[in-house]
Amino acid sequence: MTLYEWAFQFCKERGMTEKEAFAVVERAMLHPAAEGVRERWGESYDDYPEPMRKLLTKAICESALDWIQKENPKAFFKPLFDGSIPS
């Protein structure tokens, strides 16, 4: 599974539709914390170092929360991205 596929699946597993997950992953690709990942989206997730996985997860969650705030403030899946419910 590539980093991009993992990020997309991460969002879908937390309740997002494919369209929503795509929008969030595209937003996450522009997140400052994901700068080093942009050129590696096609690489295997399993080969990516654990500290960088955590940074990528943080970028995805922050991007998801930004998207939720702007597009769907009452999204039922918001707690799975803001940390109020462990996923």
Side-chain angles (χ1 to χ4, degrees):
M1 176 180 294
T2 67
L3 287 169
Y4 187 92
E5 291 167 338
W6 176 85
F8 187 76
Q9 188 66 26
F10 179 87
C11 293
K12 285 183 51 183
E13 286 174 349
R14 284 154 184 77
M16 290 188 160
T17 65
E18 287 191 9
K19 184 178 178 181
E20 293 167 336
F22 177 78
V24 168
V25 173
E26 291 299 310
R27 187 179 296 241
M29 290 174 72
L30 302 174
H31 191 284
E35 185 175 343
V37 180
R38 288 186 199 126
E39 296 176 12
R40 302 179 74 175
W41 279 111
E43 293 181 15
S44 172
Y45 176 78
D46 294 331
D47 294 340
Y48 209 59
E50 184 62 31
M52 297 306 289
R53 291 181 192 180
K54 289 181 181 183
L55 188 59
L56 178 57
T57 301
K58 179 178 170 48
I60 293 168
C61 287
E62 288 179 6
S63 297
L65 290 171
D66 184 52
W67 181 89
I68 290 167
Q69 182 178 356
K70 292 176 182 170
E71 302 294 332
N72 189 2
K74 295 184 180 187
F76 73 90
F77 46 77
K78 181 180 178 182
L80 296 171
F81 290 97
D82 70 9
S84 59
I85 296 177
S87 53

